[in-house]
Amino acid sequence: MTRANDASSEPTPPVLRVEDWRGWIEEELGLGADPRLSIAAKPDAPALPAMLRRRLDATGRAACQALAELELPIAAPLIFASRHGASSLTLNIIQELAKQMPASPAQFSMSVHNAVLGVYSIALGHRGPIQAIAASGQEIDALFIDALGYLSEGHRVVGAVFCDSRLTPLHHELIPGPIAACAVAMRLTLDRGRALSSSPTSTPLEASPVELLRFMLGREDQVTAQRRWHWSPSA
């Protein structure tokens, strides 16, 4: 005898939640005031010792400070997402090599994609997994889905930061960049905070940190890459 499938016996998929967040942007852009948002061309980063702070650009300092303010457990997984990373440093290295000049070791060490979280880990004594993502404009999807994976494996909290700096004029000849340098850090869980939902979209977009910041501030009702992310009305 064949038993009919019982939909109620299927496990409920986990729901990603934003427990807290912090943001930084270099100029106001009509976003308005929010205690979780810092607007400054040259952000302070008091959580970082001066020696480490000097190694980062403004976006890197803001990303580290935003994560530090979320007071993440030292063993929580950290995910860093950036489409372009340290593009100006990378360009400088390429231009030096094109001139047959040796690349600066200091610039190279800070141009790798996990450099920001490396500095954060040293400064804050972090002991958990670190992941760095670049996804050609689909960083929002990769960040949220990877965070959900960590949480589903048993981690209680994941720290995630999405950031990008302005591109150089040479880069702008080839690819559009963010309208302003911006960083958004989030404390993600499965059981605390505001629930996120996602759905497929027939018109995928390339979301930048500015779009994520507008969503967090409630200026937009969704942020879209390959999937459309919005606040869940029922969870």
Side-chain angles (χ1 to χ4, degrees):
M1 179 176 180
T2 303
R3 180 183 299 177
N5 290 331
D6 183 0
S8 64
S9 66
E10 296 179 0
T12 302
V15 175
L16 187 63
R17 296 174 180 269
V18 180
E19 183 180 11
D20 199 2
W21 67 273
R22 294 291 186 277
W24 165 81
I25 193 166
E26 64 180 349
E27 56 184 277
E28 203 268 338
L29 296 180
L31 294 172
D34 188 287
R36 296 162 294 188
L37 174 63
S38 171
I39 303 171
K42 296 181 178 180
D44 294 326
L48 301 178
M51 183 179 297
L52 292 174
R53 189 164 60 240
R54 286 194 293 268
R55 300 183 66 184
L56 296 170
D57 63 9
T59 304
R61 292 194 298 271
C64 286
Q65 182 61 33
L67 283 172
E69 291 180 9
L70 294 177
E71 299 181 345
L72 298 161
I74 63 171
L78 298 179
I79 304 174
F80 172 89
S82 177
R83 180 174 186 177
H84 305 290
S87 56
S88 61
L89 285 180
T90 305
L91 180 60
N92 288 340
I93 292 170
I94 293 172
Q95 289 173 331
E96 288 177 353
L97 293 174
K99 297 174 183 176
Q100 305 298 313
M101 297 173 61
S104 162
Q107 285 193 1
F108 176 78
S109 68
M110 296 309 298
S111 70
V112 297
H113 215 56
N114 62 354
V116 171
L117 288 188
V119 170
Y120 173 88
S121 296
I122 294 169
L124 278 295
H126 185 75
R127 301 286 188 273
I130 287 176
Q131 183 174 352
I133 294 171
S136 300
Q138 315 306 317
E139 287 76 18
I140 288 289
D141 297 324
L143 186 153
F144 284 150
I145 291 170
D146 281 8
L148 193 56
Y150 279 119
L151 293 166
S152 297
E153 289 178 347
H155 293 279
R156 296 296 305 276
V157 176
V158 170
V161 60
F162 183 23
C163 63
D164 260 314
S165 301
R166 287 181 185 267
L167 294 180
T168 67
L170 184 59
H171 283 99
H172 270 299
E173 295 177 8
L174 304 172
I175 188 171
I179 60 175
C182 182
V184 181
M186 296 167 288
R187 183 182 174 109
L188 303 173
T189 75
L190 293 181
D191 56 2
R192 297 181 304 279
R194 196 171 182 184
L196 283 168
S197 293
S198 72
S199 56
T201 175
S202 59
T203 54
L205 301 174
E206 297 180 351
S208 78
V210 177
E211 279 75 55
L212 177 59
L213 179 59
R214 292 182 61 83
F215 173 65
M216 288 292 165
L217 288 167
R219 307 300 184 264
E220 301 289 346
D221 61 5
Q222 63 186 40
V223 59
T224 302
Q226 287 289 338
R227 298 187 65 82
R228 184 175 65 91
W229 297 89
H230 52 91
W231 300 118
S232 174
S234 59

